[in-house]
Amino acid sequence: MKIWSIEGNTQKLDGGAMFGNAPRAMWTRWMQPDELNRIPLACRALLVQPVNGKTVLFDTGVGAFFDPKMRDRYGVVEERHVLLDSLAEAGFSHEDIDVVVLSHLHFDHAGGLLREYREGQPPELLFPNAIFLTSRPHWERANHPHARDRASFIPELPGLLEASGRLQFVDGGRSDILGDAVRFAYSDGHTPGMMLAEIHGPPGPDGKPHGGVVFCADLVPGRPWVHLPITMGYDRSPELLIDEKTAFLADKLERNVSLFLTHDPDIALVGLSRNERGRYEPVNETEKLSGRVLA
């Protein structure tokens, strides 16, 4: 298998919202805000080929579906659909994708499913040959959001996915269409039913897969969030998220699994270590993946 990091449209969001209850004096050591207190964020996807004979895209970034007013509100920088350009740079088009794995349906992870904004035209689904995978609990959340997170979802998207006839749900740790190379875990701290996909080779002597890459989605959106107490203001249950992250990072460190980061503005992939104080730290940072062989 080979892996590519596929850059999508970038955003600028309020630093205080992105770092929850962490004081500004702390988070500005990691990311410098602009004059509006916004920090730069990537919206990065992961492409893997072949997975059980399929070309698979994990998430699609924010895309360019917003109208100009909403694009400005949510700090989306580019007007064009950057994900499509990045796929082309890697030698693919959206028609080549066989499976799109959606960790969750917040607009900054699923908006790239839609064609770029055209005045007076309804939203249109891209990826005409892809099966769309997500979790059933999160699908329920997307269709019946809480008032607190309703703005994070695209109202038209569930209907478009259903109408495609190509929506499928992952139940448990495995999907038949992806086979044994991808296993799934779930997190509820950011949003109910968020899927965490781990792509790996054969299991080791202990029966567990070692090495490989895990798509962190919004459990660990970038390097600063490797620190256990750091959460986002967008997380529905910060204490639960910290508990989930504690178990998640311990497992990935033990099995030498690398972390794929969707929102880090500079780095796509990191390994993990723990310092003398027991704190997790990102190591072996990789800015971009261009067909790297997955060991």
Side-chain angles (χ1 to χ4, degrees), residues 84 87 92-98 115 125-130:
L84 301 183
L87 282 171
F92 300 89
S93 76
H94 69 103
E95 290 100 337
D96 297 326
I97 305 301
D98 299 307
R115 189 175 298 280
L125 198 62
L126 298 171
F127 302 92
N129 302 309

Side-chain angles (χ1 to χ4, degrees), residues 6-232:
I6 305 296
E7 300 295 329
N9 292 64
T10 57
Q11 283 188 275
K12 293 182 178 181
L13 290 179
D14 184 83
M18 287 300 299
F19 286 103
N21 65 349
R24 191 176 192 276
M26 175 183 288
W27 62 256
T28 52
R29 299 204 304 261
W30 300 318
M31 291 188 178
Q32 282 299 312
D34 65 12
E35 68 281 359
L36 297 177
N37 205 48
R38 303 176 305 176
I39 60 172
L41 296 168
C43 290
R44 184 180 293 113
L46 172 66
L47 187 137
V48 185
Q49 185 198 56
V51 180
N52 204 25
K54 309 292 185 183
T55 300
V56 182
L57 188 66
F58 294 83
D59 278 5
T60 63
V62 69
F65 74 96
F66 277 133
D67 64 45
K69 179 180 177 181
M70 296 299 285
R71 186 173 68 240
D72 182 65
R73 175 180 297 180
Y74 289 108
V76 179
V77 176
E78 306 89 355
E79 294 185 23
R80 73 187 193 282
H81 200 321
V82 175
L83 181 85
L84 301 183
D85 295 342
S86 297
L87 282 171
E89 181 183 337
F92 300 89
S93 76
H94 69 103
E95 290 100 337
D96 297 326
I97 305 301
D98 299 307
V99 182
V100 177
V101 178
L102 296 163
S103 65
H104 60 302
L105 294 172
H106 287 173
F107 65 72
D108 56 326
H109 291 257
L113 291 172
L114 301 175
R115 189 175 298 280
E116 64 189 44
Y117 171 77
R118 292 174 294 178
E119 187 175 0
Q121 299 296 313
E124 182 180 340
L125 198 62
L126 298 171
F127 302 92
N129 302 309
I131 290 171
F132 305 106
L133 296 182
T134 194
S135 83
R136 202 177 301 271
H138 186 69
W139 178 254
E140 291 301 316
R141 181 69 166 204
N143 280 277
H144 306 285
H146 190 275
R148 175 73 185 270
D149 64 354
R150 184 174 291 115
S152 296
F153 293 100
I154 305 168
E156 301 89 349
L157 185 57
L160 290 170
L161 290 172
E162 273 196 310
S164 76
R166 292 177 277 119
L167 174 68
Q168 295 184 15
F169 298 109
V170 180
D171 295 310
R174 185 182 185 276
S175 164
D176 288 341
I177 194 171
L178 298 181
D180 295 326
V182 181
R183 71 174 190 175
F184 292 94
Y186 299 86
S187 167
D188 295 317
H190 177 66
T191 186
M194 186 173 72
M195 295 200 307
L196 304 169
E198 184 179 313
I199 306 101
H200 54 77
D206 59 359
K208 296 181 179 181
H210 288 251
V213 172
V214 63
F215 190 88
C216 295
D218 279 336
L219 183 66
V220 185
R223 288 169 294 169
W225 293 269
V226 165
H227 301 289
L228 290 177
I230 303 301
T231 62
M232 295 186 288

